[in-house]
Amino acid sequence: MNLTLKIWRQKNANDKGGLVDYKVTDVSPDMSFLEMLDVLNEDLINKNEEPVAFDHDCREGICGMCSLYINGEAHGPDRGITTCQLHMRMFKDGDTIYIEPFRAAAFPVIKDLVVDRSAFDRIQHAGGFISVNTSGNTIDANAIPVNKHDADKAFDAATCIGCGACVASCKNSSAMLFVSAKVSQFALLPQGKIEATDRVLNMVKQMDEEGFGNCTNTGACEVECPKGISLENIARMNREYLKASLKG
């Protein structure tokens, strides 16, 4: 396939940035999207031009690093996949593909297609954990019976990889789906009950301080989420937050 790429280029956080046109030829439909960008970058390097900066790591849909906004959709036109799992067979010969970084005030652009998602890390640090006694008197987790329905729901929430597609897809740049997944995975388990009140209050507070918008139930986040995180988690987090606020 021969394709035209319109890629967002931005030298640094202070640069205005803009779309730059590139031509790529002989693209195999079996290539992944990132492999296609690798080919482009190899060609740019051979021409002594600056390669396109983009995030990637595992290339297996696990790490959540890849974060491209492709033709107006987070992770591109396919569903239930990350950018690294998107294959060029989803496009046609002669197509023009727009490639941009995830857009959100809380995700400032570092360079080209790379954005700073450390806001998610700070939200996690605010409460996305459980405190465990490691003095030698620890109890095996399997010793605590957990209802299978709750265990399955907690596991589903824990599949969130923190890629930020939910934020990029939301008209409000809301991080509610991400935060609710992290709250839910502990709220549903007995191990997470002890710190439940502080967890939800602290994580929501940090989310607001990072500048993310609020949820208006559009549902775009669930549609674009590569792991299919459910909106049910947002409802659960709202209930947890209400309970915690009343306790406070």
Side-chain angles (χ1 to χ4, degrees), residues 37 48 63 70 83 100 106 127 145 168 180 188-189 198 212 238 242:
L37 290 180
N48 292 318
C63 69
I70 303 164
T83 301
E100 300 175 80
S180 67
L188 288 160
L189 300 175
D198 289 341
F212 292 104
N238 286 338
L242 178 59

Side-chain angles (χ1 to χ4, degrees), residues 140-151:
D140 193 310
N142 292 331
I144 304 173
V146 180
N147 178 281
K148 187 178 187 305
H149 176 76
D150 291 340

Side-chain angles (χ1 to χ4, degrees), residues 84-248:
C84 62
Q85 295 172 303
L86 177 67
H87 283 82
M88 298 311 297
R89 65 179 70 98
M90 296 297 296
F91 304 93
K92 301 188 297 294
D93 182 43
D95 275 357
T96 297
I97 304 174
Y98 287 80
I99 309 171
E100 300 175 80
F102 281 179
R103 303 288 190 183
F107 287 169
V109 174
I110 298 173
K111 182 179 180 180
D112 294 342
L113 304 173
V114 180
V115 298
D116 181 358
R117 285 171 288 178
S118 59
F120 272 10
D121 297 330
R122 291 188 288 273
I123 293 171
Q124 280 281 74
H125 294 164
F129 55 85
I130 58 171
S131 299
V132 178
N133 179 4
T134 57
S135 65
N137 298 316
T138 53
I139 300 173
D140 193 310
N142 292 331
I144 304 173
V146 180
N147 178 281
K148 187 178 187 305
H149 176 76
D150 291 340
D152 288 345
K153 290 288 186 182
F155 185 86
D156 289 343
T159 59
C160 169
I161 57 176
C163 66
C166 50
V167 175
S169 303
C170 178
K171 63 181 182 179
N172 306 318
S173 297
S174 172
M176 290 280 278
L177 194 68
F178 166 76
V179 179
S180 67
K182 301 306 177 184
V183 168
S184 290
Q185 73 181 74
F186 295 118
L188 288 160
L189 300 175
Q191 293 90 338
K193 301 292 185 186
I194 300 169
E195 297 165 299
T197 298
D198 289 341
R199 176 181 301 111
V200 68
L201 292 176
N202 291 340
M203 293 185 77
V204 170
K205 179 184 177 184
Q206 187 65 42
M207 175 184 70
D208 291 340
E209 289 178 355
E210 295 295 343
F212 292 104
N214 209 344
C215 174
T216 50
N217 298 311
T218 305
C221 55
E222 182 180 20
V223 173
E224 300 290 356
C225 176
K227 300 302 176 183
I229 303 297
S230 173
L231 289 175
E232 290 179 7
N233 291 296
I234 296 179
R236 184 178 297 107
M237 184 179 75
N238 286 338
R239 292 193 297 270
E240 291 288 320
Y241 187 84
L242 178 59
K243 287 190 295 183
S245 298
L246 293 174
K247 284 182 182 178

